[in-house]
Amino acid sequence: MRSEWFWLLLGMALVTYGPRALPLLALHRRTLPAPLRRWLSFVPVAILAALLAPSLAVVNGRLDLSYHNLYLLAAIPTFAAALLDRRNLFLVALVGMVSLVLLRRFL
Amino acid sequence: MKETTAPAGRVLAGLRISVPVILGYVPIGLAYGVLARQGGLTLLETVLMSLFVYAGSSQFIAVALWQAKAEPLAIIFTTFLVNLRHFLMSAALSPYLARYTKRWLAYFSYELTDETFALHSVNLRRGEAGYQGKTILAVNEASHLAWTTASAAGYLAGAVFGRPEALGFDFALPAMFIALLLMQVRRRLDLAVALLAAGLSLGLPYVIPGRWNVLIAAVAAAGAGALCAGPLPAEAAAEAGEAAASAEAGAGAAAGEDRAAVEGGQSRAV
């Protein structure tokens, strides 16, 4: 392994691990002020939505909210499947994948 | 810590839970391996990055920037920005993981990604008895193993696997996020927060260049939710030191459920 790559790897590993570990270690068994706890309780739903939206609506770096966007179309049956059986992630993933394959074939 | 099922059962449960993540990671890992080879990296360099950095998008960025002969420090800084959102995820999981030691958390957080966070946040909040210890780590390890193995396979035999789009694998992770997001939406306010976060995440790149959109959207939307929620019914009781009692009683109102679950988790741990 080249030494430049080694240093790059080390730097990247540190700046990735830091944000992953610091809050969990620093907040360990600490009771936070109520407003902060309330804010944290909304973080999962907010961050999942913030991650999901671009993965559906941004194609090749551009916002595409038209019916030409197959990801957006495939999301419709996937949402329906998730509403019917939201515990079975595998089934929902499968419905999504099959929908996308069918859309690609017939549209 | 008492866990009811056999160790093998707990690990199997974790593997089962991580299947959708594995479905999504394999094609992306393969693509990373292919790209790394084209970028002139060795197999060892490619795999070590998946093993020690383990962060999908920044690995792609790093390979592309490396190929473009960018400054290593610039690559590291970009990686930092891209992965800063994990700070929020780590903080959000903290109340649910009070029962574990710092050593356990130091290992757990090493394998915290967008996808494993999504699984953990939903399953921990639901407070299922089986979702603990070895099961949690099995979810992390199976996902990481899939990622690392796929990186190596992509490097060695990328062309053999063809294009993952043919089988729709590129939609496995978005589909999983749809299901997990719906599980997180339990009241009308959650829905409002989700829509706000989605809108901000899509709109912010037009206002703020760079890769800040996910982080800022999540911070702001969660903040708006917290402001609108007002003090939780359980909070007054908690301040008076009656948290455990109220948790036992179920704490009634939907807004109080989160806190009750957290307090319940902590009292079980004692």
Side-chain angles (χ1 to χ4, degrees):
Chain A
M1 183 163 52
R2 285 162 283 189
S3 72
E4 300 130 294
W5 185 260
F6 171 80
W7 291 112
L8 177 66
L9 203 83
L10 188 70
M12 285 178 68
L14 286 178
V15 299
T16 304
Y17 182 64
R20 280 174 177 171
L22 281 180
L24 268 169
L25 295 177
L27 302 177
H28 185 48
R29 286 178 195 163
R30 256 188 218 172
T31 311
L32 296 170
L36 203 57
R37 278 201 309 262
R38 208 182 312 144
W39 176 71
L40 277 180
S41 77
F42 284 102
V43 162
V45 72
I47 207 157
L48 291 191
L51 287 168
L52 175 64
S55 76
L56 296 179
V58 178
V59 182
N60 296 326
R62 286 187 42 222
L63 187 65
D64 182 358
L65 295 173
S66 75
Y67 58 85
H68 297 293
N69 180 352
L70 298 186
Y71 275 60
L72 223 45
L73 292 182
I76 298 168
T78 311
F79 262 107
L83 281 173
L84 286 174
D85 186 355
R86 57 184 71 189
R87 292 194 155 221
N88 195 338
L89 287 184
F90 180 68
L91 185 78
V92 175
L94 211 61
V95 168
M97 287 160 64
V98 171
S99 307
L100 188 62
V101 169
L102 293 177
L103 284 166
R104 278 189 179 136
R105 178 149 305 176
F106 296 111
L107 282 187
Chain B
M1 189 189 336
K2 274 182 193 155
E3 295 177 77
T4 43
T5 40
R10 275 181 260 133
V11 172
L12 274 181
L15 290 181
R16 196 176 49 77
I17 290 166
S18 56
V19 166
V21 175
I22 295 171
L23 281 184
Y25 275 8
V26 167
I28 305 175
L30 289 173
Y32 161 72
V34 171
L35 196 75
R37 183 175 196 156
Q38 289 167 353
L41 297 176
T42 67
L43 176 63
L44 184 70
E45 289 168 344
T46 305
V47 172
L48 284 185
M49 178 162 276
S50 288
L51 204 56
F52 290 117
V53 180
Y54 184 32
S57 49
S58 46
Q59 288 183 223
F60 278 96
I61 295 167
V63 170
L65 288 176
W66 171 267
Q67 213 176 350
K69 306 258 185 293
E71 266 308 301
L73 274 181
I75 303 178
I76 291 170
F77 186 66
T78 307
T79 304
F80 176 67
L81 288 190
V82 170
N83 292 327
L84 202 53
R85 62 178 185 275
H86 294 128
F87 195 88
L88 273 186
M89 302 181 190
S90 178
L93 289 182
S94 171
Y96 299 99
L97 299 173
R99 55 163 55 180
Y100 301 103
T101 61
K102 282 198 172 185
R103 228 174 104 179
W104 192 94
L105 292 173
Y107 175 53
F108 165 82
S109 47
Y110 172 57
E111 291 173 319
L112 184 63
T113 63
D114 295 347
E115 291 75 21
T116 56
F117 166 78
L119 288 177
H120 294 320
S121 66
V122 165
N123 285 301
L124 287 170
R125 183 186 222 173
R126 211 191 273 148
E128 259 172 48
Y131 203 78
Q132 50 180 288
K134 292 217 164 57
T135 303
I136 294 176
L137 292 184
V139 169
N140 279 359
E141 285 159 357
S143 307
H144 194 177
L145 186 67
W147 175 252
T148 310
T149 311
S151 308
Y155 187 96
L156 292 171
V160 174
F161 297 102
R163 296 179 343 114
E165 288 83 7
L167 290 172
F169 277 111
D170 49 328
F171 205 64
L173 292 179
M176 183 188 83
F177 270 85
I178 287 173
L180 291 171
L181 179 63
L182 283 180
M183 284 189 230
Q184 291 280 10
V185 174
R186 304 192 305 180
R187 343 156 218 171
R188 217 174 298 171
L189 187 54
D190 290 329
L191 184 62
V193 168
L195 290 174
L196 179 62
L200 286 174
S201 179
L202 292 177
L204 278 172
Y206 294 96
V207 189
I208 306 166
R211 301 175 165 275
W212 293 96
N213 60 324
V214 171
L215 186 63
I216 296 176
V219 168
L227 285 178
C228 293
L232 305 178
E235 273 167 16
E239 246 75 273
E242 292 165 329
S246 67
E248 300 290 344
E257 278 177 32
D258 288 345
R259 273 200 45 77
V262 174
E263 299 291 346
Q266 281 167 349
S267 61
R268 268 201 307 277
V270 174

